[in-house]
Amino acid sequence: MTDWLYSDTVKEHFTNPQNVLWEEEGSFGADARGVAGAVKCGDQMLMLLKINDDVITDVRWKTYGCASAIASTSVLSMIIKGMKIEEAYKLRPADLVEKLGGLPDYKVHCSVLGDKALRNAIDNYLEKTGRAGNLKEPVTVICNCLGITDKDLETAFNNGARSWEELQQATKIGTVCGECKENALELLHGLEHLHS
C-alpha cells in the first residue's frame, strides 16, 4: 500500500465526516438548498442550510466524490455554523485547503465545489427572502456543465495554473463535454497578458 497523501485533518474528515445528510432531504427542514458539480465528472455536492436572521444555524450535506471532496465539504460545514451569510459567501477554496492542512495540487479542485454549493444555497435563500442577487459577484460562466466562472479561472491562475491541464486540475473545467476549452484558453491568455 502506498503512503497516505493527505493531512491528518483530511483523513479525520474523510473517515468521520461531520454534518452529513443521512436522513431524507425533506426531513431536515432546510431554509436553503444549493448544488454544485456534476455526477458525470465524478463530484457533486448538495448543501442544505438552516438560517435564522441571516446566520447559518445548521447545515447538512451530501457529496459524491473522493476523499478530498468529502473532507472539504465536512470541514466547510463546521466552519459555517454560526456564521453570517455575508461572511460565509466570501469563503474560498483556499480557505478550505488551509483548514485541511493542504491538499495535493491535483485534488484542490475538490474543494472548489463545496464553496460553490454553499454560495448556491445562500443565493437560493436570498431569492426566497426577496433579496435575489444581493451577494452575487458579477461573473461570466465559462463551463456550463460545471458552472465554472471567469472568477474561478482567475483564482486558479493566481494559484499558478498556466495551461489547460493545470486549469483542469484546479477547477475540473472541460471534464464533462469540453466545449469550454477555447473560451477558457482565451481567458487564460488574457490573464497572462494582464499579469506580465
Side-chain angles (χ1 to χ4, degrees):
M1 186 169 146
T2 59
D3 291 333
W4 180 258
L5 297 174
Y6 303 107
S7 70
D8 289 341
T9 305
V10 172
K11 185 175 181 179
E12 175 59 29
H13 279 279
F14 172 63
T15 58
N16 186 27
Q18 302 298 300
N19 305 307
V20 176
L21 178 68
W22 296 112
E23 65 271 19
E24 291 295 318
E25 185 177 330
S27 65
F28 178 62
D31 298 304
R33 181 183 195 275
V35 177
V39 174
K40 285 182 180 180
C41 76
D43 294 316
Q44 186 174 42
M45 297 180 184
L46 165 69
M47 181 79 57
L48 302 174
L49 305 175
K50 286 187 180 180
I51 301 172
N52 186 11
D53 291 329
D54 286 352
V55 174
I56 299 169
T57 58
D58 205 358
V59 58
R60 291 290 181 277
W61 59 271
K62 274 190 179 179
T63 291
Y64 300 98
C66 65
S68 299
I70 291 167
S72 297
T73 315
S74 176
V75 79
L76 175 63
S77 75
M78 293 180 68
I79 292 169
I80 63 174
K81 273 190 183 182
M83 192 177 270
K84 300 234 0 126
I85 60 172
E86 293 86 358
E87 187 182 354
Y89 205 87
K90 294 176 185 173
L91 287 172
R92 294 293 182 247
D95 301 320
L96 302 178
V97 171
E98 183 180 331
K99 289 282 186 188
L100 289 167
L103 286 173
D105 288 343
Y106 62 92
K107 286 296 184 180
V108 170
H109 67 269
C110 298
S111 68
V112 172
L113 293 177
D115 74 296
K116 278 182 173 283
L118 171 63
R119 281 195 296 281
N120 289 342
I122 293 170
D123 288 337
N124 173 251
Y125 174 74
L126 290 170
E127 185 176 316
K128 287 180 178 180
T129 59
R131 300 177 284 164
N134 274 11
L135 297 176
K136 274 199 171 191
E137 303 165 325
V139 296
T140 301
V141 175
I142 304 295
C143 174
N144 290 312
C145 297
L146 298 176
I148 296 168
T149 69
D150 57 339
K151 298 289 184 196
D152 298 322
L153 296 183
E154 186 174 358
T155 298
F157 177 84
N158 291 336
N159 289 331
R162 297 294 186 271
S163 68
W164 173 247
E165 292 75 20
E166 289 170 338
L167 285 178
Q168 285 188 304
Q169 226 175 37
T171 66
K172 283 200 154 188
I173 193 167
T175 57
V176 178
C177 76
E179 290 182 12
C180 55
K181 183 174 182 178
E182 185 178 329
N183 289 339
L185 290 175
E186 186 178 312
L187 178 63
L188 180 64
H189 182 71
L191 289 169
E192 287 171 341
H193 281 287
L194 186 66
H195 294 281
S196 61

